[in-house]
Amino acid sequence: MSIFDDIRSAVVALDADKAESLTSEALAADEDPLKVLNDGVIKGIREIGGKFEQGEYFLAELIQGADIGKSCIDIVTPHLPKAAVARQKKVVMATVRGDIHTLGKDLVSLMLRISGFDVVDLGSDVPTMTIIDEAEKVGADIIGLSALMMTTMPNQAETIKYLNDMGLRDKYRVMVGGGSTTQGWAEMIGADGWAPTAAAAVALAEKLTS
Amino acid sequence: MIGISDYIEASTEGPILTESEFDLRYSKKVRELASDFGVEYNPDEVVPDDKTANSIFEAGVELLASVGLYNKDSRRVIELGKKQVMEVAGSRLHSITFGVGFDAVTIKERRPSDSFPPVLWLGPVCPLMEETYVSACLSFLKIPENQGILGGFLIAAEGFENKSGYPHELIVTAKEIVLNKEAIRRAGRPGLFHCVAASAVTPAANFNVFGPGVCCPQTGSIPIQVMPELKINWDKLTLAIFCQQHNIHPFTDGMGVIGGYARNPGESAITLVANILANWGFSHASNAVAWSTDMKGHWTAKKPILWTNSAVVKALDLNVGNPMYSFGTALAGPMTEMALLESAAYSVAYPAAGIELILGGACGNGADVDYTAGLHGQMAVDVTKVASGLPRDEANELVNKIVSQYDDKYDNPPRGVTYQECYDTVKIEPKPEFVALYDKVKDDLGRMGVPFS
């Protein structure tokens, strides 16, 4: 097995110490940082995502995997040529005002992180203007809005209305999701997309930013 | 004994953790406990045996005593000792009375082997248009065995859409209670418990439905939920204080998500027991809804959900003996064979677990506007009446037969029809084709072994 395979295996095994030390060792041995990143770390975290979808890994493993991936990427990034450091697409995620349910939104945030997005997760019960202010502040590409309840779904629509009224709608792709939402709802409120699962949300985010 | 002031103090003084640190700590511990106590989901026995139920209770106590409860707002852990948790468990009431006058009902402890059926509170539990609301509720209130009305989520009133966290919410939820009261008055049952304002989310909206012309402590309540998994916020404590200062018995539940941080029904059941015990410690309630969902947000008569809810009900019944509830909800929509079968499945399973009250009759996972029909509540009445007291083995065998009729349809359940399409909304009577379907399904259930005669 190559050092890249070893890094990938350590990431998949959720062995943070080993993954970080192997990443450092590979860089010290003058291995190509891009290969360390793509064939080792990122391959590993994508495999974690796959295991989640197959029901082999769960939320706890995703949290650990995302943390390990981030610390390994932080080790590699200073060694990458400037031209190779692509700007990560930014997603501002929030469960809208009045809704305290977070599990689905947390899962989407984790899956997006694992898939290479820079996610700013604002948490739950987030006022509409806080979401928009944060999107403006970080220069988001996507705004992701979660709502579990029928009574909080209108606050997804409100965010889009505000973006329209403020003349900001074209700056962002808006995706919506959550227990009671549907494709029809997303179309009705003028969202750019709807996803029924976390994996579908990642595919949608990739499509919206491609 | 521990009380709400301890929770408030711990929420301001307890150890600080990030939410994901707490999630990982909880997740690791529940896996360890499920393994140590040998708690495993068995799809062939949706009502688990006493040994499994007792193990779930013990593991739930250990879980709460090990990881505590997390306040998301203060980011602090409310630590509880095992002795305190057991004191909470040992001091619950064994019966509670709701409603007034002739319409009052006492929910008293029942055991899995008891042949008297659980109390049924039936209702739409789905989003409703204002013009449908009272009629849809009446379709459940016409059932004499229904002893409390579970309303629906009123989606708008007086020109305002229901939006949580806005003034709109107060206008719409107050209207919801007015409509509930109108329904029970028209049903000739004015003292009936009309539960909670289903659409109220914020404390302000919940407080607003108590007062002249709306709810009083005998006929209404306020929901207090420990969020998945083992989390509260300041609002939950605020609701509990309000209930205690206004003599309201809260309507509490522990909610768990199968496939989230709890990987499977076994871990979810342990977590739910811990959630409920944690809830009672500050809400001071003696009831709880065992409410599990899967990662699709379904809270219906699927086997993993039936098992988890039954296991939690039985664990708390055997070890606490307080009134335990669960939702009876169909995934399929009204006037479908699948939804009627789903109603029958939970109506066989939950009484055999020792449940005291079923919140039943909902269809379509409670999500579609006006997708409701009282006849689905009637099925819960008819089946609980004859299935209560069935030995566990027989109940499990029967549930297996019933669920096998629909468990290949979860990805694409029949949507059914709206209330207006399956009921005469003025006479409040099911249409003849619906009655014919009901009779056919009842005959089928009889052939499967439901002892109707």
Side-chain angles (χ1 to χ4, degrees):
Chain A
M1 281 220 309
S2 69
I3 184 90
F4 312 120
D5 282 334
D6 291 340
I7 294 169
R8 179 195 57 76
S9 295
V11 171
V12 174
L14 305 172
D15 187 337
D17 291 343
K18 194 171 175 188
E20 287 165 21
S21 66
L22 284 170
T23 301
S24 298
E25 271 176 38
L27 294 169
D30 281 337
E31 294 288 356
D32 179 355
L34 266 177
K35 288 193 81 168
V36 173
L37 191 67
N38 293 329
D39 297 349
V41 180
I42 289 175
K43 210 169 175 181
I45 50 184
R46 282 189 187 274
E47 207 171 312
I48 289 171
K51 282 179 179 288
F52 177 79
E53 283 178 52
Q54 287 155 17
E56 201 177 324
Y57 273 5
F58 293 84
L59 264 168
E61 283 79 10
L62 280 186
I63 293 176
Q64 291 175 75
D67 286 349
I68 294 168
K70 185 180 181 306
S71 56
C72 290
I73 290 167
D74 286 347
I75 294 169
V76 179
T77 302
H79 299 266
L80 292 171
K82 276 192 178 165
V85 184
R87 178 184 169 275
Q88 279 180 292
K89 299 291 184 184
K90 284 192 176 162
V91 184
V92 167
M93 286 290 301
T95 302
V96 295
R97 181 170 179 179
D99 204 323
I100 53 171
H101 298 90
T102 57
L103 207 132
K105 183 265 303 162
D106 291 350
L107 182 53
V108 172
S109 289
L110 282 166
M111 290 289 277
L112 286 169
R113 277 194 186 119
I114 274 180
S115 305
F117 287 88
D118 179 5
V119 180
V120 179
D121 188 336
L122 300 178
S124 59
D125 191 14
V126 186
T128 299
M129 279 313 301
T130 305
I131 298 169
I132 294 173
D133 287 346
E134 192 65 24
E136 285 285 281
K137 189 175 123 193
V138 304
D141 298 284
I142 294 178
I143 296 174
L145 303 169
S146 174
L148 182 76
M149 301 183 294
M150 295 291 292
T151 56
T152 53
M153 283 164 56
N155 296 334
Q156 294 180 325
E158 183 183 83
T159 310
I160 293 172
K161 184 175 185 300
Y162 262 90
L163 289 171
N164 280 322
D165 293 349
M166 294 169 77
L168 298 173
R169 182 66 184 88
D170 293 341
K171 280 179 81 173
Y172 307 105
R173 306 289 94 191
V174 180
M175 57 185 207
V176 296
S180 302
T181 63
T182 60
Q183 178 64 39
W185 166 251
E187 286 166 14
M188 193 175 92
I189 65 173
D192 295 300
W194 169 78
T197 64
V202 172
L204 175 63
E206 283 170 348
K207 187 177 150 205
L208 292 175
T209 52
S210 63
Chain B
M1 195 177 72
I2 195 162
I4 190 156
S5 53
D6 300 291
Y7 281 65
I8 294 171
E9 190 183 338
S11 292
T12 46
E13 302 293 336
I16 292 177
L17 274 188
T18 66
E19 193 167 346
S20 66
E21 282 170 338
F22 180 81
D23 289 336
L24 288 176
R25 182 184 286 188
Y26 146 72
S27 180
K28 188 177 167 207
K29 190 68 191 175
V30 75
R31 290 178 189 194
E32 191 183 304
L33 289 167
S35 167
D36 290 352
F37 283 87
V39 175
E40 273 186 40
Y41 165 56
N42 179 352
D44 294 329
E45 293 186 6
V46 296
V47 182
D49 58 21
D50 290 6
K51 182 175 174 289
T52 304
N54 286 326
S55 297
I56 288 167
F57 179 79
E58 285 177 48
V61 170
E62 286 289 336
L63 178 64
L64 183 55
S66 303
V67 303
L69 186 67
Y70 187 72
N71 186 322
K72 282 164 71 86
D73 289 337
S74 68
R75 300 187 185 181
R76 290 179 188 270
V77 179
I78 300 158
E79 294 178 318
L80 302 164
K82 192 170 173 180
K83 184 170 171 280
Q84 291 171 312
V85 176
M86 291 308 290
E87 278 173 357
V88 167
S91 54
R92 298 306 95 196
L93 301 173
H94 293 254
S95 70
I96 313 171
T97 300
F98 291 106
V100 291
F102 288 128
D103 299 317
V105 58
T106 297
I107 301 159
K108 59 182 181 184
E109 184 181 0
R110 67 180 287 286
R111 292 279 160 170
S113 57
D114 281 333
S115 58
F116 66 89
V119 173
L120 291 165
W121 287 350
L122 309 169
V125 201
C126 72
L128 291 170
M129 304 289 284
E130 188 175 345
E131 54 270 31
T132 317
Y133 198 98
V134 171
S135 178
C137 287
L138 280 167
S139 77
F140 290 92
L141 285 165
K142 283 187 85 173
I143 302 168
E145 293 87 347
N146 182 10
Q147 293 179 289
I149 183 67
L150 285 178
F153 310 100
L154 187 59
I155 58 177
E158 297 173 30
F160 291 100
E161 189 177 28
N162 191 358
K163 289 190 352 172
S164 294
Y166 290 82
H168 310 49
E169 185 190 3
L170 273 70
I171 294 167
V172 179
T173 51
K175 182 72 177 183
E176 196 175 286
I177 295 299
V178 169
L179 295 175
N180 279 340
K181 287 176 77 78
E182 169 68 8
I184 57 175
R185 187 192 61 77
R186 280 179 54 186
R189 306 168 78 182
L192 208 64
F193 181 71
H194 49 86
C195 218
V196 300
S199 305
V201 174
T202 60
N206 278 293
F207 302 161
N208 189 50
V209 298
F210 276 84
V214 271
C215 291
C216 68
Q218 290 77 29
T219 57
S221 186
I222 286 180
I224 300 179
Q225 181 186 75
V226 168
M227 298 177 270
E229 306 290 352
L230 287 167
K231 291 173 192 170
I232 59 166
N233 58 11
W234 287 120
D235 280 355
K236 306 296 176 190
L237 298 174
T238 303
L239 289 168
I241 292 274
F242 182 85
C243 287
Q244 283 156 33
Q245 293 187 346
H246 291 79
N247 198 26
I248 297 163
H249 197 125
F251 189 80
T252 62
D253 63 71
M255 194 175 190
V257 184
I258 303 167
Y261 292 107
R263 296 176 299 174
N264 50 50
E267 291 175 6
S268 196
I270 293 168
T271 307
L272 271 171
V273 167
N275 272 6
I276 290 167
L277 291 169
N279 190 327
W280 290 339
F282 71 91
S283 69
H284 302 177
S286 289
N287 60 10
V289 184
W291 188 2
S292 57
T293 75
D294 62 18
M295 289 295 280
K296 289 183 174 171
H298 295 163
W299 41 298
T300 61
K302 293 177 172 181
K303 275 190 172 179
I305 292 167
L306 289 174
W307 186 92
T308 307
N309 291 341
S310 297
V312 173
V313 164
K314 193 165 183 178
L316 291 165
D317 257 359
L318 294 181
N319 292 278
V320 179
N322 65 301
M324 284 299 302
Y325 317 156
S326 198
F327 280 107
T329 307
L331 183 58
M335 207 171 89
T336 63
E337 190 169 330
M338 178 173 166
L340 289 166
L341 289 167
E342 289 178 280
S343 301
Y346 66 70
S347 301
V348 173
Y350 293 154
I355 204 164
E356 279 77 16
L357 186 148
I358 296 175
L359 307 151
C363 291
N365 204 40
D368 269 349
V369 178
D370 290 351
Y371 274 71
T372 182
L375 210 46
H376 291 277
Q378 185 66 53
M379 183 60 85
V381 170
D382 290 354
V383 176
T384 52
K385 219 178 255 181
V386 297
S388 296
L390 280 179
R392 187 179 72 90
D393 291 352
E394 283 180 38
N396 281 331
E397 195 183 324
L398 203 43
V399 172
N400 289 341
K401 283 183 192 165
I402 299 169
V403 175
S404 71
Q405 307 294 307
Y406 61 77
D407 64 358
D408 58 344
K409 298 186 177 74
Y410 296 144
D411 288 337
N412 196 18
R415 192 175 183 213
V417 298
T418 62
Y419 174 65
Q420 295 86 336
E421 290 170 292
C422 62
Y423 259 69
D424 178 327
T425 60
V426 178
K427 291 182 181 169
I428 326 283
E429 285 175 358
K431 292 188 174 168
E433 59 270 34
F434 194 4
V435 176
L437 176 71
Y438 186 88
D439 290 342
K440 179 207 168 288
V441 173
K442 241 183 119 173
D443 286 347
D444 292 345
L445 287 165
R447 277 190 288 277
M448 285 179 224
V450 178
F452 284 123
S453 53

